[in-house]
Structure formats: structure tokens, C-alpha cells
């Protein structure tokens, strides 16, 4: 893709104690691109996501959003982090708040959006993800699939430049997986910039523009979905795919 990347990661290294979990990772993601990150458990995929929006501090390298380096801390980080939406494996909704309150909290607090305006936008987004009728309920009253769709609406309410999805379906019962993937596929078709860590190969093929394969804390291979899944170039990728595509 031509032009400057929206997200640019260069030489990223991350240690947990004496263990290095990310080794010199480079990644560019352009506006409107859906990049799907796959790989075995423990390969550093989720850590990469968490370093991009500074939920984890890295030891070396840089992360830039729209040409600006993501700062270490402080108000500037909070401002820039508002441009990086995040959808977690475990939903991370506030249990003591209704669905509507969960979705309006960020815009009101971080974006200083008028409460009425935030509520109207939240209802539009909840309708978009198919849970507008749950607006007055609490997270515990919802299914896992509904909670994750609320979490997606909450991320979108901040009007982020990019949304990170960290294994968004792995905590769901199988019959709920498709309702979340359908929402994500629609977002991808609408041009949302997305970095998606997932084991859902069907989604990667259908909605991804590029697949990035990680193993042992490194980017081993990347390419168009059909190219990667049908003709992997490395032994490590072939070994991984022989296991996941066999089931």
C-alpha cells in the first residue's frame, strides 16, 4: 500500500523479567486495512496488541500512530490512546453500569462529549451491533456474545482511528462466535482500520487484507490471506497451519 502507515511499529522488544517475549517486531498498518495476526499460543500476539496502545511498556523500539510516537505516559498518552480502540478477550465491561452507561462513559469522560449526544451515538452503535434492546441491562444479564458486541460498540464510541481486537471470540461459546465475527466483518467492509489477533481462520480469509504470522515473539511471515493459508513460505507457518487447518 502507498502512503504513510496509520500504525507503525519498529524494532519492538518486550521483556517479562528475564524472558524476551517480543524480538524486534516491525509492523505497518495502513488506514482502512484489516491485519489479522495469527500464531501459536505464547507467540507474542496479544503482547504486541497491548504494547501498541501502551497497556504494556516495551523495552526497545517505537510505536507511532498517524506519524506521532505513542508517548510513555501522562495526558498526551491518554489523548492518543483514545484514538486506539481495544476489544478484549474477556469483554472488560463495568459490571455496575448498564450497557448504555458502559458505552457513553468514554466519550463523556475522555472526549468531553455532551451526555445527551453521547447517549444518542451509543444507541446508534448498539443498534449497529444488534443489541440496542439491551441498553438498560447490566452486563451480567447478557450472553457472552452480547457482551462482546457491547464492548465493540464501546470501542467505536470513542471514534478511534484503529481498533485492536485481542482474541475477541476465544471466551465465547461456539454458537456465539459467529454473531461477533459478523459484526467485525461488517466493520471491516465499512473501512475500519483493524488489527485482529484471532484463531478464526474463516474470518481471516473473509475479512483480512493481510495475515501476519508470529512465532516465538517474532513476525515470521506475512502475506495476503489466500497466499498465506494456501501456500505458506516457511516451515514454521506450514507446521502451524497443518495443526489448525486439520480440525
Amino acid at each position: 500500500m502507498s502512503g504513510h502507515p496509520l500504525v507503525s511499529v519498529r524494532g519492538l522488544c518486550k521483556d517479562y523479567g528475564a524472558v524476551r517475549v517480543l524480538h524486534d517486531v516491525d509492523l505497518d498498518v495502513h488506514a482502512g486495512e484489516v491485519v489479522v495476526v495469527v500464531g501459536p499460543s505464547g507467540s507474542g500476539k496479544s503482547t504486541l496488541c497491548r504494547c501498541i496502545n501502551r497497556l504494556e511498556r516495551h523495552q526497545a523500539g517505537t510505536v507511532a500512530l498517524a506519524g506521532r510516537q505513542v508517548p510513555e505516559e501522562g495526558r498526551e498518552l491518554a489523548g492518543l490512546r483514545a484514538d486506539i480502540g481495544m476489544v478484549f478477550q474477556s469483554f472488560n465491561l463495568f459490571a455496575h453500569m448498564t450497557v448504555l452507561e458502559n458505552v457513553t462513559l468514554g466519550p463523556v469522560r475522555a472526549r468531553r462529549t455532551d451526555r445527551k449526544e453521547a447517549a444518542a451515538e451509543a444507541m446508534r452503535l448498539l443498534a449497529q451491533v444488534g443489541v440496542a434492546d439491551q441498553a438498560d441491562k447490566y452486563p451480567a444479564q447478557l450472553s457472552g456474545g452480547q457482551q462482546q458486541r457491547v464492548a465493540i460498540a464501546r470501542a467505536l464510541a470513542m471514534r478511534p482511528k484503529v481498533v485492536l481486537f485481542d482474541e475477541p471470540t476465544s471466551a465465547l461459546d461456539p454458537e456465539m462466535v459467529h454473531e461477533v465475527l459478523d459484526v467485525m466483518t461488517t466493520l471491516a467492509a465499512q473501512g475500519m482500520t483493524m488489527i485482529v489477533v484471532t484463531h478464526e481462520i474463516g474470518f481471516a480469509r473473509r475479512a483480512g487484507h493481510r495475515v501476519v504470522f508470529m512465532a516465538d515473539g517474532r513476525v515470521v511471515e506475512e502475506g495476503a490471506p489466500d497466499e498465506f493459508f494456501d501456500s505458506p513460505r516457511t516451515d514454521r507457518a506450514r507446521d502451524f497451519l497443518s495443526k489448525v487447518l486439520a480440525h
Side-chain angles (χ1 to χ4, degrees):
M1 280 194 168
S2 59
H4 295 293
L6 180 61
V7 178
S8 183
V9 176
R10 284 289 172 274
L12 199 69
C13 296
K14 168 68 184 171
D15 301 336
Y16 288 123
V19 179
R20 177 144 290 190
V21 292
L22 291 178
H23 300 261
D24 292 317
V25 172
D26 292 343
L27 178 69
D28 283 342
V29 181
H30 289 79
E33 193 178 17
V34 178
V35 172
V36 181
V37 184
V38 300
S41 296
S43 58
K45 308 182 300 293
S46 293
T47 303
L48 173 61
C49 257
R50 295 174 71 85
C51 285
I52 288 173
N53 76 346
R54 279 273 197 269
L55 284 174
E56 297 276 3
R57 296 186 72 168
H58 51 266
Q59 275 62 48
T62 59
V63 178
L65 178 69
R68 287 175 62 204
Q69 280 208 32
V70 178
E72 291 284 342
E73 55 197 14
R75 186 172 291 175
E76 200 186 349
L77 172 60
L80 204 57
R81 194 183 271 159
D83 288 332
I84 307 174
M86 182 98 180
V87 177
F88 299 89
Q89 185 172 332
S90 51
F91 325 134
N92 285 21
L93 298 173
F94 292 110
H96 64 289
M97 292 183 172
T98 65
V99 163
L100 185 61
E101 289 166 343
N102 264 281
V103 179
T104 57
L105 180 67
V108 170
R109 287 265 184 91
R111 297 277 196 212
R112 301 280 183 257
T113 306
D114 172 76
R115 202 171 286 277
K116 252 179 147 171
E117 191 185 315
E121 175 66 0
M123 288 305 297
R124 186 188 72 76
L125 290 167
L126 290 169
Q128 184 181 334
V129 299
V131 287
D133 56 340
Q134 310 294 325
D136 296 326
K137 292 186 178 176
Y138 289 88
Q141 297 173 281
L142 273 55
S143 71
Q146 288 171 326
Q147 288 188 62
Q148 194 60 295
R149 285 184 281 159
V150 172
I152 293 172
R154 178 182 61 180
L156 296 176
M158 294 296 286
R159 298 185 177 165
K161 291 185 168 77
V162 57
V163 182
L164 312 175
F165 292 83
D166 184 14
E167 307 260 11
T169 58
S170 63
L172 300 178
D173 292 335
E175 67 270 21
M176 293 173 189
V177 169
H178 76 273
E179 41 181 86
V180 172
L181 292 179
D182 284 350
V183 169
M184 291 169 61
T185 302
T186 301
L187 286 178
Q190 290 169 348
M192 172 61 70
T193 309
M194 297 159 62
I195 301 173
V196 184
V197 173
T198 187
H199 294 290
E200 299 293 339
I201 303 303
F203 171 82
R205 278 190 184 271
R206 186 170 67 249
H209 296 110
R210 186 156 45 101
V211 174
V212 172
F213 171 66
M214 289 185 70
D216 308 314
R218 293 179 167 84
V219 172
V220 176
E221 187 173 333
E222 58 182 290
D226 288 347
E227 181 186 295
F228 174 75
F229 291 116
D230 297 338
S231 311
R233 296 187 303 274
T234 61
D235 290 341
R236 192 73 185 80
R238 278 191 286 273
D239 178 58
F240 169 74
L241 290 171
S242 72
K243 293 185 174 97
V244 298
L245 297 179
H247 300 291

